Amino acid sequence: MELGLYTFGDVHPDPVTGARTSPAQRLRDVLERIRLAEQVGLDHVGIGEHHRPDYAISSPATVIAAALAQTERISVGSAVTVLSTEDPVRLYQQFATMDLLSGGRVELLAGRGSFIESYPLFGASLDDYDELFDEKIRLLLRIDRGNPVTWSGRFRPPLHAAEILPRPLDKPGLGEHLRIAIATGGNPASSDRAGRLGLPVSYAIIGGRPADFAPLVRLYRAAHTEAGHDPATQRVEVAGMGFVADDAKQAREFFFPYWLSTMRRIAAERGFAIPNRIAFESQAAKGGAYFVGSPHEVADRIVALHAVLGHDRQIFQMDLSGVPQRESLRAIELLGTRVAPLVREAVGA
């Protein structure tokens, strides 16, 4: 069972103090968090992609490369790469280069994105939302199979016996291939696609009951098996909000205003109901989507969810709305030194 965190590099004004953090400082903060995550024994860090003024990271590959250069063991990947508005050829070259430089520690998590700013920015049409992703994930996987590449599609020029270089590191059990996975917010078609393509799947669970994703996990595993892929390549990740403090009440009291700031902004943009403390407490309670509490409480909830989903990794967004660096680092420390040992002991048993 692997544990870790993910970040979008939030640069919102602090909802408690009103303090502002510059994008330059936030990027330095992110790198410090990743170095600490490795030091305390966590397994993975994901770097998100947004093209908005409230997030500092629009080029995840650049930040991933910097993080890999400052670490030795931990895996670092995208969370997610908006594949629909990327060129798979150039993207593959970037991640293959990082794979070589890092000794095989990079991961590419491909998704369509829950925010749509990249579509007009890069000249893509939302009318092609599904077709863009389907074509580009298949091209990405065709490139990963090896050279030469001959291919044609709707959204980029064709390739004729093309040599896509460099190739990734030759890794035990994987060969010269990238670690590529599909991200989904719970669309059954995405679970089926990931299974049939033989790829790992990552579920972004930001509300409701995570245990209710069990049918989707079963769908993914069934599609993976029916397509004839090696069962050893099945892999399920869960990503969602969380925060760890020494005391459960302290964790909830501290994290609530940062959660509320982010959720109010998203609710206003998308026409959702305005969130409140009751909704937060419900989601932060046992069985909810927010893993906010003391180390023992968070560990117990991870183990309980593992009993239902059998997932291989769980990662947390713990820095919503610019959680200050001191508290962010403490949460990472507790996740690595106190939560992770409890989870590994229980799951191993």
Side-chain angles (χ1 to χ4, degrees), residues 243-248 291-304 334-335 337-343 345-346:
F243 191 79
V244 190
D246 294 278
D247 174 78
F291 287 67
V292 180
S294 67
H296 275 87
E297 182 179 5
V298 172
D300 287 345
R301 292 186 56 198
I302 294 170
V303 172
L334 291 172
L335 184 62
T337 62
R338 295 181 59 185
V339 176
L342 293 172
V343 171
E345 181 181 5

Side-chain angles (χ1 to χ4, degrees), residues 57-82:
I57 303 172
S58 62
S59 176
T62 308
V63 182
I64 293 167
L68 290 168
Q70 298 182 23
T71 54
E72 296 180 355
R73 177 196 58 82
I74 197 167
S75 68
V76 187
S78 54
V80 300
T81 294
V82 184

Side-chain angles (χ1 to χ4, degrees), residues 205-291:
I205 305 178
I206 58 173
R209 296 177 55 84
D212 291 343
F213 276 66
L216 292 174
V217 174
R218 290 195 295 269
L219 172 62
Y220 161 72
R221 297 192 188 280
H224 192 284
T225 300
E226 290 171 5
H229 299 294
D230 181 354
T233 63
Q234 290 186 15
R235 188 168 175 81
V236 176
E237 176 183 273
V238 169
M241 300 177 198
F243 191 79
V244 190
D246 294 278
D247 174 78
K249 183 178 180 181
Q250 173 193 354
R252 288 180 172 83
E253 289 295 330
F254 175 82
F255 194 63
F256 171 70
Y258 294 94
W259 170 86
L260 183 63
S261 176
T262 289
M263 298 306 291
R264 275 180 172 170
R265 186 167 49 256
I266 295 175
E269 290 179 6
R270 302 186 181 186
F272 297 163
I274 300 298
N276 55 34
R277 186 61 183 257
I278 295 174
F280 173 78
E281 292 292 343
S282 174
Q283 287 295 300
K286 185 178 180 180
Y290 308 152
F291 287 67

Side-chain angles (χ1 to χ4, degrees), residues 117-170:
E117 287 79 13
S118 66
Y119 286 80
L121 187 63
F122 297 112
S125 172
L126 286 171
D127 292 337
D128 300 321
Y129 188 77
D130 292 320
E131 291 83 358
L132 275 165
F133 184 80
D134 186 66
E135 178 176 302
K136 292 192 176 187
I137 188 65
R138 293 183 184 278
L139 173 55
L140 186 71
L141 296 179
R142 172 62 194 88
I143 296 168
D144 193 55
R145 286 203 300 270
N147 288 321
V149 178
T150 297
W151 174 92
S152 64
R154 287 180 56 199
F155 301 107
R156 80 170 314 280
L159 300 169
H160 301 287
E163 294 284 329
I164 312 297
L165 299 170
R167 303 306 302 173
L169 187 73
D170 189 352

